[in-house]
Amino acid sequence: MIVKKPFVERNIGALVITACIGAFLALVFSNAYLLHRSSDIANNVQLAQEERLVRAAIKQQAELMALDQSQISNWSHTLDAITGEIDEEFVADEIADWLWSDFDILMSIIVSGDNTPVVTAYEDRVLEPEAGQGAIKQHLDLIERARQTYRETIALTIPPVTVFKRFRDPVRSRFPLYEWSLREVNGGFTIAMAQVIVPDKEGYDLGDNPLVFLTFKPITENMLTKLDENINLKDFHYSIDKATDPDMASVEVSKLPDGHIVYARWTPGEPSQAIWDQTLPTLTLPFIFTAVALGLIAWRFSHIVGALQESEEQNRFLALHDALTGLPNRLHFDRALERVIESGKEDRCAILCLDLDRFKAVNDTFGHEAGDVVLTSIAERIRDRVGSNGMAARVGGDEFIILLRKKLSNDDVMFLCDQLIEDVCLPILVPGGVAEVGASIGVAWWPDDALTVKSIIRSADEALYMSKQQGRGQVSCASRLRRVGDPSKGGKQSPVVDQMRDALSKSA
């Protein structure tokens, strides 16, 4: 009787060969797939980088034009020259000649509140105002958007006012007072820009429909060439609506009133070809096996090490920073102040203790989630206001402390304190409504007011306590406490000082 062997035993040779071939083919196809995916990722990364560069370059180009134009539109003398009887010499010299000869602004129109031209200039020539009516009609959307931006900016002042007060840069700020678009004019592209004419001094009531400065600057071949060279792109140009060529990259620049869109286009770089050219000659079978083995080990090892490092960095960050706001915590602040004092590299520094007023009412009214929103917003405002002059930390529920290492004169510090209080007092949108808090600040200088970390912070705390005793929303200095409490300097011991020291000693 012949016993039939199992299938595996019968075909073991073929199965091993098949397995080897399968493994070989799997390696070949997997590496080919990896190369293909790597090429796609490299191309996508390159394209994303090019898109960022293009957007940044176009934005910079528009901002530079806005800066050039703002030398006229952000000038009280301009309002004086075009209000009432037109100062023709000013128009000829400052608007027509200067903007054309220095900044290549082809056409300039001052638009009245009822959208009629007050002044029209083409190149270095002053035309009859009516010559600009057609351009106003074609770009009325920009004019109205510029006015709306101005109205929204005025509405943000606290309290809202109708008389313009320059409290921020009209070009380089979060709320710039200009609108721009890339428009097709006479077969070419032109930057059209509308800026509300605002004074650089107070005392001008611009009304709800202020004058608007409308200008046009053609996109020349020289400008495109420079843009191409700066961001290292090929075949860079502008066109209406997307091209059908799938090999061209594009980003949206402007949406036109008729619904069409202006795009910037270029031929994207392809790092994938270099990847294939450099990799294919080396893909031999021994290298494939070695590379796969080593690659898996290296990937696993780097993944583990990377995870450990990330965990350590996160723990280190959490140990020195406030979990809610991301600001340094008390430990971080004390170490920083101790380094300043012990290093001896700096002659003095200032400590500001800032405490929020009416913060408990926010939690009681809107809940703790709203309180967290208020704290993160206030922390960001404090961080932005202090900037490179020092560091800010959160040391308690609604308590912040600031170390200033620059601009340490009494006037500079007091001015910063006033700005901090103004920043804190700005309304904050929270779930359920709008929250408003205030701030009190105590200031102490090292080594003028104290010599050690604990004593200088205590001095600033005492000054803060005085600010709160005096009605909140105040700034007090530790030097004032010394004068109040030191009989040798002509001072008298104040009950407020006694209360402060008793309160601080109990809290300690």
Side-chain angles (χ1 to χ4, degrees):
M1 178 178 174
I2 300 175
V3 179
K4 192 175 181 179
K5 296 181 179 180
F7 176 82
V8 173
E9 292 185 19
R10 293 199 317 267
N11 300 282
I12 186 65
L15 290 174
V16 170
I17 294 173
T18 302
C20 290
I21 294 173
F24 174 76
L25 293 176
L27 288 173
V28 171
F29 285 114
S30 64
N31 279 274
Y33 174 77
L34 288 174
L35 275 175
H36 178 71
R37 288 290 300 143
S38 299
S39 300
D40 288 345
I41 292 172
N43 287 341
N44 290 336
V45 170
Q46 174 76 13
L47 179 60
Q49 178 66 16
E50 291 175 351
E51 289 176 350
R52 285 193 293 271
L53 289 173
V54 169
R55 289 191 178 95
I58 294 173
K59 181 180 178 182
Q60 183 185 44
Q61 193 175 61
E63 185 174 88
L64 288 175
M65 180 177 171
L67 286 171
D68 295 338
Q69 179 177 329
S70 68
Q71 297 185 62
I72 297 296
S73 60
N74 181 30
W75 193 10
S76 301
H77 191 42
T78 301
L79 287 170
D80 296 336
I82 62 176
T83 303
E85 184 176 354
I86 303 296
D87 186 342
E88 296 180 359
E89 182 179 355
F90 174 88
V91 173
D93 293 341
E94 304 296 342
I95 296 180
D97 183 69
W98 185 33
L99 293 182
W100 165 248
S101 60
D102 283 18
F103 307 121
D104 296 325
I105 292 179
L106 181 68
M107 189 173 187
S108 304
I109 305 171
I110 294 180
V111 185
S112 67
D114 59 357
N115 296 325
T116 58
V118 177
V119 170
T120 300
Y122 185 85
E123 295 183 347
D124 59 350
R125 291 172 290 135
V126 179
L127 307 180
E128 290 297 325
E130 292 76 16
Q133 189 64 57
I136 293 174
K137 184 177 180 181
Q138 293 174 1
H139 302 87
L140 193 58
D141 60 312
L142 279 181
I143 296 170
E144 293 302 329
R145 279 162 46 193
R147 289 197 178 110
Q148 183 60 29
T149 300
Y150 168 80
R151 297 186 194 106
E152 292 171 356
T153 301
I154 288 296
L156 289 174
T157 58
I158 300 176
V161 297
T162 58
V163 177
F164 178 84
K165 180 180 180 182
R166 183 176 179 183
F167 57 95
R168 57 169 62 90
D169 191 304
V171 175
R172 288 178 169 171
S173 68
R174 290 180 58 195
F175 307 97
L177 296 180
Y178 70 90
E179 294 289 339
W180 72 278
S181 177
L182 202 62
R183 302 287 168 91
E184 190 175 28
V185 178
N186 298 329
F189 285 93
T190 296
I191 300 178
M193 183 165 293
Q195 288 184 331
V196 172
I197 300 178
V198 296
D200 55 355
K201 296 186 296 187
E202 297 183 19
Y204 290 80
D205 189 347
L206 305 183
D208 290 332
N209 291 304
L211 296 170
V212 174
F213 196 32
L214 179 65
T215 59
F216 303 90
K217 183 175 183 177
I219 300 293
T220 62
E221 286 296 326
N222 185 43
M223 293 171 64
L224 290 176
T225 300
K226 286 183 178 179
L227 190 64
D228 202 344
E229 291 173 352
N230 290 338
I231 55 183
N232 194 25
L233 299 178
K234 295 192 303 182
D235 306 322
F236 184 85
H237 63 280
Y238 296 104
S239 62
I240 304 293
D241 295 336
K242 277 196 173 182
T244 57
D245 186 353
D247 296 329
M248 295 291 289
S250 64
V251 296
E252 181 178 330
V253 178
S254 302
K255 188 171 183 179
L256 303 179
D258 60 3
H260 291 284
I261 298 175
V262 179
Y263 287 89
R265 295 196 176 85
W266 68 95
T267 301
E270 291 186 352
S272 59
Q273 189 59 47
I275 293 175
W276 282 95
D277 292 342
Q278 296 178 25
T279 304
L280 282 176
T282 63
L283 286 180
T284 60
L285 187 61
F287 179 80
I288 292 175
F289 280 107
T290 303
V292 169
L294 292 177
L296 289 174
I297 295 173
W299 175 82
R300 185 60 180 168
F301 182 76
S302 63
H303 180 73
I304 294 173
V305 172
L308 289 174
Q309 291 176 340
E310 183 179 350
S311 176
E312 289 176 0
E313 288 294 330
Q314 182 69 13
N315 291 336
R316 190 179 297 112
F317 182 87
L318 292 175
L320 296 174
H321 290 79
D322 175 53
L324 176 63
T325 64
L327 290 178
N329 58 16
R330 167 72 80 174
L331 176 61
H332 191 171
F333 182 89
D334 288 350
R335 289 180 179 178
L337 179 57
E338 188 173 6
R339 283 195 297 270
V340 171
I341 294 175
E342 292 181 353
S343 67
K345 295 180 180 179
E346 301 178 35
D347 295 329
R348 68 196 303 248
C349 63
I351 306 301
L352 281 63
C353 285
L354 185 151
D355 196 30
L356 300 185
D357 301 329
R358 306 186 302 278
F359 177 71
K360 184 177 182 299
V362 174
N363 285 330
D364 294 341
T365 305
F366 301 104
H368 290 283
E369 181 181 354
D372 290 345
V373 172
V374 169
L375 288 173
T376 54
S377 299
I378 296 299
E380 182 177 357
R381 294 175 183 178
I382 294 174
R383 182 195 296 114
D384 292 343
R385 179 60 65 185
V386 173
S388 62
N389 295 322
M391 68 173 290
R394 181 186 176 212
V395 295
D398 61 348
E399 300 172 5
F400 299 85
I401 190 167
I402 298 164
L403 168 62
L404 291 181
R405 303 174 68 174
K406 299 178 183 178
K407 297 184 178 180
L408 297 173
S409 70
N410 186 74
D411 289 342
D412 287 338
V413 174
M414 292 299 101
F415 180 69
L416 176 63
C417 290
D418 291 339
Q419 290 180 312
L420 287 169
I421 292 176
E422 289 180 7
D423 292 342
V424 171
C425 290
L426 293 174
I428 300 171
L429 291 175
V430 298
V434 177
E436 293 185 355
V437 297
S440 300
I441 299 177
V443 184
W445 276 267
W446 173 87
D448 304 356
D449 298 313
L451 297 177
T452 65
V453 172
K454 290 185 178 180
S455 61
I456 191 64
I457 293 177
R458 180 183 179 88
S459 296
D461 276 334
E462 291 177 348
L464 172 62
Y465 194 91
M466 174 178 282
S467 295
K468 287 189 170 289
Q469 288 290 324
Q470 292 177 342
R472 305 179 185 273
Q474 304 290 323
V475 181
S476 298
C477 298
S479 56
R480 181 181 174 190
L481 289 172
R482 292 204 315 276
R483 290 194 299 271
V484 170
D486 191 347
S488 66
K489 297 183 179 180
K492 297 181 180 180
Q493 186 66 41
S494 168
V496 175
V497 176
D498 289 334
Q499 294 173 15
M500 286 188 295
R501 289 177 176 161
D502 290 340
L504 288 170
S505 62
K506 290 179 182 179
S507 65

